[in-house]
Amino acid sequence: MNEDSIFKRFLIIQRLHFHLIHKELERHDIHPGQLPTLMIVEKNEGITQNQIAEKLNLRSATVAIVLKRMEKAGLIYRKQDENDRRLHRVYLTEKGKNYCKFLKQQAQKVEEIATRGFSEEERIQLKELLDKIIANLRGSLGSDHNA
């Protein structure tokens, strides 16, 4: 990869972001692999395991392991669907909801660190440029990819 590449910079930013967040998560006994699942359940209370797997582009069996750990940690609970007894819907516990609030605060803190010294105009411009990149990449993938 070209050292002057935009995507090289994205990879560096992603790695640094991960390390900053991971350090904080370790202090609170939160496994980083649970973050995407936690956020998806927060946005989609009552989601099924298969729907989570689809959104994360993971196998259902992998998600089952993550959910089991999260349930054991008291972050989520599963409830059988009233209409289809084969389905179990996933919900956040109070502890899970509190973790989501905490994680959002941490993400905001890291964003503030990353944009330290930026004017409000520069922040807005950066978001607009990144949104253009996202739109370009999504456009080239087609409408079924909403990562």
Side-chain angles (χ1 to χ4, degrees):
M1 187 178 292
N2 180 353
E3 289 297 315
D4 199 38
S5 151
I6 291 171
F7 287 100
K8 172 80 174 185
R9 287 170 172 80
F10 284 153
L11 291 173
I12 292 168
I13 291 167
Q14 184 179 22
R15 254 193 322 259
L16 292 169
H17 178 266
F18 176 81
H19 288 301
L20 284 169
I21 293 284
H22 191 295
K23 190 166 51 169
E24 193 61 37
L25 295 179
E26 280 182 334
R27 287 189 201 139
H28 293 86
D29 271 343
I30 303 171
H31 190 279
Q34 297 171 343
L35 295 181
T37 304
L38 202 58
M39 293 299 151
I40 286 172
V41 174
E42 183 199 30
K43 289 180 185 170
N44 304 280
E45 288 273 341
I47 193 169
T48 66
Q49 177 178 313
N50 287 338
Q51 290 169 325
I52 294 170
E54 189 177 302
K55 286 183 179 290
L56 292 175
N57 199 24
L58 295 172
R59 292 179 327 178
S60 188
T62 303
V63 173
I65 293 166
V66 172
L67 291 176
K68 192 172 192 174
R69 287 183 185 150
M70 291 174 68
E71 196 167 28
K72 189 175 181 180
L75 299 173
I76 57 127
Y77 67 93
R78 293 184 258 193
K79 184 177 172 187
Q80 196 169 41
D81 187 281
E82 293 174 10
N83 299 322
D84 186 345
R85 308 205 38 82
R86 295 170 297 174
L87 297 177
H88 286 84
R89 303 221 169 254
V90 183
Y91 301 89
L92 292 178
T93 62
E94 275 308 307
K95 182 178 179 181
K97 290 175 185 176
N98 289 334
Y99 270 50
C100 285
K101 286 179 196 167
F102 169 76
L103 294 169
K104 287 177 183 175
Q105 290 168 349
Q106 293 309 307
Q108 180 63 38
K109 195 161 98 176
V110 171
E111 185 171 317
E112 287 170 10
I113 291 168
T115 58
R116 190 177 295 142
F118 284 36
S119 69
E120 188 57 32
E121 184 179 303
E122 289 171 323
R123 287 176 197 238
I124 291 168
Q125 185 179 23
L126 178 59
K127 287 177 188 177
E128 289 171 351
L129 291 170
L130 293 172
D131 286 344
K132 280 184 180 179
I133 291 172
I134 291 167
N136 289 341
L137 293 173
R138 278 190 178 145
S140 71
L141 285 173
S143 63
D144 60 334
H145 289 82
N146 293 320

